[in-house]
Amino acid sequence: MAHKVTLLPGDGTGPEVTSAMKMCVEATGVKIDWEVCEVGEKSIVKYGQPLTDIVLESIRRNKCAIKGPITTPIGKGFRSVNVQLRQSLDLFACVRPCFYYEGTKTPIKNVNLMIFRENTEDLYAGIEFDINTPEVARLRALINEMSPKKVKEDSAISIKPISMSGSKRIVKFAFDWAVKLERRKVTAVHKANIMKFSDGLFLRCAQEVAKQYAGKIEFNDCIVDNMCMQLVQSTHLYDCLVLPNLYGDIISDLCAGLVGSLGIAPGANYGDEIALFEPVHGSAPKYAGQNKVNPTATILSSVWMLRHLKEEAAATRLDNAVRAVLKDGKHVTYDLKADRNDPSAVGTMQMAEAICKKI
Ligand code: NAD
């Protein structure tokens, strides 16, 4: 029987990379009944909003979805659809594998990291108060009354909630995955030296959860700024990282750089019952419609989707096909060439076709 999967093509280059992904998944022979839904700019044109209940109901019904990136206006306009999806569906765990693929040009060889990012809390909770609003004035007055530290009158305020339940569940998720994937170590990343209450709570929760895995999985912690340097200088010392939302987002892009390109970094978001797969990269709008960007991140996201659907053999064949094309280095997009203007770089669909031929 075919698996039912919600497909959200998204904005910018999203429709191109998801078409390429769909072609590769179909080439594995796994039967998928795709339920295609509009989000982002197309949804605004059709329904007046970037995310509708039609999409949420489809994902809740199918319990499995894969998406392209969605554009978010910077500093104004509607809030991120990605954040709304993760919060509405309680997709609390964002998993971002960062592996070295032979043939890619990377600053460091043999990167092998799993990133577990909390997805629903922290500064991404969306609790913000804009400058010169009555709300920010009330909040400022309250803070100035309760705290010896004063907030300036011309401020905007974003709130950083970190809960004990949210922290424990992401750390437990990271450890359970570390056990399942036979990894050796989990590192909790934080800034608890400065944010003693919010990040301090995250760290204490991580230390407590880690005790349940003592003897099976090693545990340590690292301050986020030091982590950035460590990842560049001593990547091999790290294995699985678990982080609050904002640090997880930033460190994921850093690690995508370590494996050679955002174009090859896959991702997945998990809740208790639902899983939503997506590349780490954004909609790269300047390349939209040019058949130019790398489809690998979305194709590798579908490898994780196939594993989730218990299609392990197909997932392995697709993963190996991607590896073969990257190693060969001929039928790859511009971002994987030594010279980005190399005329031998192929387009999005041509790279996907080369992958299909190796399945
Ligand atoms: P971006 O990831 O779109 O682009 C950053 C850089 O990486 C650009 O130089 C781009 O050309 C390159 N790049 C991205 N994807 C690539 C690919 N597949 N192959 C080759 N090169 C690739 O990030 P941005 O420019 O900061 O954001 C653009 C838009 O995407 C924004 O609206 C942002 O909010 C949104 N965004 C969405 C998601 C998501 O949907 N999950 C994630 C990040 C950003």
Side-chain angles (χ1 to χ4, degrees):
M1 213 176 70
H3 301 281
K4 281 205 126 194
V5 173
T6 303
L7 171 59
L8 312 176
D11 293 322
T13 53
E16 295 160 63
V17 291
T18 50
S19 290
M21 173 280 300
K22 191 164 168 273
M23 184 168 82
C24 291
V25 170
E26 286 170 356
T28 67
V30 172
K31 296 274 173 290
I32 308 258
D33 184 359
W34 305 97
E35 206 167 284
V36 181
C37 296
E38 276 147 8
V39 283
E41 284 157 358
K42 287 206 181 94
S43 176
I44 294 176
V45 171
K46 199 161 166 187
Y47 304 108
Q49 48 182 309
L51 178 64
T52 62
D53 284 344
I54 303 170
V55 175
L56 294 173
E57 278 159 21
S58 169
I59 301 176
R60 285 195 183 105
R61 193 170 50 246
N62 296 329
K63 298 195 168 35
C64 180
I66 186 159
K67 64 177 276 292
I70 302 168
T71 299
T72 311
I74 296 176
K76 59 180 168 53
F78 62 83
R79 290 203 170 267
S80 164
V81 173
N82 301 300
V83 174
Q84 282 185 59
L85 277 168
R86 292 165 194 160
Q87 288 179 348
S88 307
L89 299 168
D90 199 24
L91 301 172
F92 64 91
C94 179
V95 180
R96 291 178 164 175
C98 283
F99 302 149
Y100 169 70
Y101 283 90
E102 209 178 328
T104 53
K105 51 174 171 59
T106 59
I108 299 162
K109 293 262 178 301
N110 301 325
V111 173
N112 181 350
L113 292 165
M114 291 292 296
I115 296 176
F116 298 92
R117 160 189 174 195
E118 203 290 326
N119 236 353
T120 60
E121 308 196 314
D122 196 357
L123 281 163
Y124 282 34
I127 310 170
E128 293 200 289
F129 301 92
D130 206 356
I131 186 171
N132 295 334
T133 57
E135 291 80 12
V136 88
R138 278 177 66 190
L139 191 56
R140 227 189 94 242
L142 186 66
I143 294 169
N144 290 347
E145 183 194 313
M146 291 194 306
S147 164
K149 302 272 161 54
K150 304 301 169 205
V151 177
K152 284 189 194 162
E153 196 175 345
D154 56 346
S155 298
I157 300 178
S158 301
I159 306 282
K160 174 180 164 115
I162 301 254
S163 70
M164 190 188 289
S165 51
S167 301
K168 282 188 178 171
R169 85 173 163 171
I170 185 64
V171 177
K172 185 171 181 325
F173 184 95
F175 270 98
D176 285 343
W177 269 62
V179 171
K180 189 169 74 180
L181 298 177
E182 299 180 0
R183 312 281 306 197
R184 61 187 162 86
K185 177 173 164 186
V186 171
T187 302
V189 184
H190 59 86
K191 189 80 186 171
N193 52 332
I194 304 295
M195 280 161 279
K196 295 184 190 292
F197 298 145
S198 51
D199 282 27
L201 178 61
F202 180 83
L203 176 59
R204 287 196 300 281
C205 290
Q207 288 164 335
E208 202 180 312
V209 171
K211 285 183 196 152
Q212 298 162 26
Y213 299 83
K216 277 193 254 172
I217 302 282
E218 257 181 77
F219 172 74
N220 70 349
D221 70 276
C222 188
I223 293 175
V224 64
D225 37 355
N226 183 18
M227 188 81 252
C228 292
M229 188 196 67
Q230 295 280 328
L231 282 171
V232 174
Q233 283 196 335
S234 315
T235 325
H236 63 283
L237 296 180
Y238 298 92
D239 187 43
C240 299
L241 310 181
V242 61
L243 317 89
N245 209 336
L246 175 65
Y247 309 145
D249 195 10
I250 297 169
I251 294 275
S252 301
D253 271 34
L254 188 152
C255 292
L258 293 181
V259 295
S261 171
L262 261 175
I264 58 171
N269 304 280
Y270 295 90
D272 286 330
E273 290 195 335
I274 298 172
L276 168 66
F277 300 84
E278 62 174 337
V280 172
H281 65 75
S283 56
K286 67 181 174 200
Y287 294 132
Q290 295 178 28
N291 185 40
K292 184 170 171 90
V293 297
N294 193 338
T296 307
T298 313
I299 295 169
L300 287 174
S301 301
S302 77
V303 168
W304 287 86
M305 180 187 81
L306 288 169
R307 289 194 183 118
H308 177 75
L309 295 172
K310 310 241 178 306
E311 297 285 358
E312 193 62 50
T316 304
R317 278 190 289 127
L318 182 51
D319 193 29
N320 288 341
V322 171
R323 278 175 201 281
V325 169
L326 293 177
K327 186 176 174 188
D328 187 41
K330 282 196 197 114
H331 300 99
V332 297
T333 45
Y334 75 99
D335 55 307
L336 297 178
K337 294 283 185 185
D339 170 6
R340 289 169 79 86
N341 297 316
D342 186 335
S344 73
V346 302
T348 309
M349 285 316 269
Q350 289 64 45
M351 183 164 181
E353 280 160 13
I355 292 169
C356 288
K357 281 190 191 139
K358 301 267 184 194
I359 291 174

